[in-house]
Amino acid sequence: GQDKPATFPVICDTGVHHIQIVKKYRHLGGWSHHKPDQRAELKQKSALAHETFSRHRKVLFANQRLPIAKRAELFSTLVLTKMLYGADSWTLATASDKAKLHAVIMRLYKRLICWKPDMNMCDEMIILQTGLPSPTELLRRARLRYLSVLLNCDMPLIWSLLNEDIEWKRLLEDDLNWMWM
């Protein structure tokens, strides 16, 4: 709260050190914060993905001589990897975060197919035309890929930590059911 000190005392061998408390912290390209929303992360990843798209737009993505399947493959490799780096741990607890992610990815897909407002296409048609997965499926794949990484790690302690993350476990269970179906 506002009345609490802005530092946290830590006792060490050499004495007491005061660590500054911050609302959010950026580490290795991802944001750590006390709230369950991913607004800052989504904003940063969205800007990075759009910048990457713009960098390669003329040569690759707007090149009509390349088939859409090849452009979509390059798009997945170059743009979606930037957008979804770290998405394996996202829970998107708020509806606005989910809507924001969906809108960002659909905007990128529209850029890929050179969408114009008079084209009058719904999201499903855009997904069909690009041949790329829906935003929900992209998140499911990221979480399932992360589960595979965790299963291959020989770190038993990680399971007790993950057991505390109720929301992520619920999403992962839903993803496993989706994959089974």
Side-chain angles (χ1 to χ4, degrees):
Q2 298 291 358
D3 58 335
K4 300 293 180 188
T7 62
F8 183 77
V10 177
I11 301 173
C12 298
D13 293 340
T14 59
V16 177
H17 298 279
H18 293 277
I19 298 173
Q20 182 181 359
I21 299 172
V22 295
K23 293 180 182 178
K24 59 184 177 181
Y25 171 70
R26 184 173 174 194
H27 181 72
L28 296 176
W31 289 96
S32 297
H33 47 82
H34 301 290
K35 296 180 182 177
D37 67 59
Q38 264 91 22
R39 278 184 228 138
E41 185 100 19
L42 287 173
K43 186 176 180 180
Q44 178 206 359
K45 299 293 183 179
S46 172
L48 189 59
H50 279 287
E51 187 270 329
T52 302
F53 186 95
S54 294
R55 190 176 330 126
H56 300 290
R57 184 181 60 82
K58 286 184 180 178
V59 175
L60 299 176
F61 303 127
N63 186 348
Q64 297 301 318
R65 290 179 289 182
L66 283 175
I68 187 68
K70 182 50 95 176
R71 286 186 280 147
E73 181 183 343
L74 292 166
F75 176 85
S76 290
T77 304
L78 297 170
V79 178
L80 285 181
T81 55
K82 299 267 185 168
M83 179 68 205
L84 297 173
Y85 177 76
D88 43 22
S89 63
W90 295 353
T91 57
L92 299 178
T94 65
S96 66
D97 286 348
K98 292 174 188 171
K100 176 72 174 172
L101 177 70
H102 184 85
V104 166
I105 291 176
M106 292 313 297
R107 198 171 309 121
L108 287 165
Y109 284 5
K110 288 176 180 179
R111 289 184 73 187
L112 179 63
I113 62 170
C114 302
W115 181 85
K116 305 224 181 329
D118 63 340
M119 291 173 117
N120 216 7
M121 298 171 75
C122 65
D123 289 351
E124 290 79 20
M125 291 175 65
I126 293 168
I127 289 169
L128 282 173
Q129 188 164 351
T130 60
L132 294 167
S134 69
T136 303
E137 188 175 330
L138 289 170
L139 281 179
R140 288 183 188 277
R141 288 178 177 187
R143 281 190 295 267
L144 290 169
R145 227 180 352 260
Y146 188 50
L147 177 64
S148 174
V149 169
L150 292 174
L151 288 170
N152 288 317
C153 289
D154 190 24
M155 295 174 51
L157 181 61
I158 197 79
W159 298 108
S160 61
L161 290 172
L162 288 173
N163 196 36
E164 298 295 320
D165 194 344
I166 304 298
E167 183 62 23
W168 192 79
K169 280 190 332 186
R170 186 191 62 72
L171 289 168
L172 189 59
E173 183 179 342
D174 187 50
D175 296 339
L176 289 167
N177 286 329
W178 168 80
M179 185 175 66
W180 180 257
M181 297 313 229

